[in-house]
Amino acid sequence: MRRPTPARRGLAATALALALGLTLAACSGSSDDDPSASPTPSATSAEDTADQAAVDGITVEGDAGAAPTVTLPSTPFNVSSVIVKVVEPGTGDTIEDGQQLAIKSVIISGADGSVATSTYTGEPDKVLLTSDLGDLHKKLVGQKVGARFVVTQPPQSATDPTYVRVAEIVSAETLPTRATGTAVKPPAGLPTVALDAEGVPTITAATGAAPTTLVAQPLITGTGDPVTAEQTLTVNYDLALWDGTKVTSTWEDGKPAQFPLSSVIPGWQEGLVGKPVGSQVLLVVPPAKGYGAKASDTIPANSTLVYVVDILAAE
């Protein structure tokens, strides 16, 4: 599916990279010295078995809600694949597919067992639990809030260590699937939007020339806090070209998209800042605020883009 990001990265994978420091779904991008970069591909079966045994030797101690003490079986500690292991069950509510998880964690350097970074002193990270997260999704669905788990990140270069992240699920929230609030009648001349009983939009093209400036027209005004530029959004959206040609829809995927607002095309950044969470917004994005003079997947060069965006959450 084509996302509104300028880079070719799966948005759920991007959210995971931000929230956990690891990307378990396929995506581009890496760094030679950044523990939040994408890991190398999975190892062979024999290597994976050895890596699993190495992870089994990690001990995690400490009270729930507090930063754990993590002891590696030896240093330097190395694995060649991404391993996910639940090390302590939770006692809270059962975690369900599609929920937004709040997670606190520590990253341990395999070089010497030291703490590279920790989120226990700040706000928890948020990640949407969808199948895009691969093995992490499989391991966490059905667990309970409070569960602790380990995720390994293999070295990104010959000089990098393995990183081990030990994370705790502090809450699990079921997000709305559609905008709710006060309907707004848009002005004439814009594409029209019809909603079915589930809130799934259908975009009908407007007549006439496409606007040359960004249009950010509320269709439903939500009751949440206004979106800010530094937040990560969870949205459902539909995308069509100005002539009505359908491009993509998260509704058809059956799962929302989640991404930092700062990572997407300018039309989204400028058009969604200030809109209340819970809103539905019609964005008409001219080429200069979209993908410009270069084609992008099925989007031709110099396209005016029409989005219907339901803002489900902003963190």
Side-chain angles (χ1 to χ4, degrees), residues 57-293:
I58 298 172
T59 61
V60 180
E61 300 174 300
D63 295 334
T69 299
V70 181
T71 304
L72 303 180
S74 63
T75 55
F77 176 86
N78 289 301
V79 296
S80 57
S81 59
V82 175
I83 299 293
V84 181
K85 179 184 178 182
V86 176
V87 294
E88 292 181 19
T91 59
D93 295 335
T94 300
I95 296 167
E96 300 176 5
D97 178 40
Q99 288 186 313
Q100 180 168 267
L101 306 184
I103 296 172
K104 288 197 172 185
S105 58
V106 295
I107 294 181
I108 306 298
S109 170
D112 57 9
S114 63
V115 175
T117 187
S118 172
T119 62
Y120 273 89
T121 57
E123 292 297 314
D125 295 309
K126 300 292 181 70
V127 63
L128 204 61
L129 186 60
T130 71
S131 58
D132 289 340
L133 304 189
D135 198 36
L136 185 66
H137 172 265
K138 295 177 183 177
K139 293 291 179 67
L140 295 187
V141 170
Q143 294 290 330
K144 295 182 181 297
V145 171
R148 276 180 174 165
F149 60 94
V150 170
V151 186
T152 60
Q153 178 177 306
Q156 300 300 290
S157 75
T159 58
D160 283 341
T162 290
Y163 287 98
V164 175
R165 183 174 288 258
V166 178
E168 178 180 352
I169 301 168
V170 297
S171 69
E173 178 185 5
T174 299
L175 298 178
T177 59
R178 61 183 294 181
T180 56
T182 304
V184 178
K185 184 176 181 180
L190 295 176
T192 59
V193 178
L195 304 180
D196 70 10
E198 303 301 320
V200 180
T202 298
I203 300 171
T204 300
T207 58
T212 57
T213 58
L214 176 68
V215 175
Q217 172 62 47
L219 301 178
I220 298 172
T221 301
T223 59
D225 293 333
V227 169
T228 61
E230 69 278 4
Q231 288 182 308
T232 292
L233 303 188
T234 303
V235 302
N236 267 321
Y237 72 89
D238 223 48
L239 168 59
L241 303 181
W242 177 254
D243 65 6
T245 301
K246 187 177 181 66
V247 177
T248 190
S249 171
T250 61
W251 296 95
E252 293 181 357
D253 262 7
K255 52 193 173 188
Q258 188 178 63
F259 50 86
L261 186 55
S262 61
S263 73
V264 296
I265 58 174
W268 277 60
Q269 294 181 43
E270 297 174 22
L272 297 184
V273 166
K275 300 298 190 291
V277 173
S279 297
Q280 182 179 82
V281 183
L282 174 68
L283 295 176
V284 182
V285 181
K289 302 293 185 181
Y291 299 108

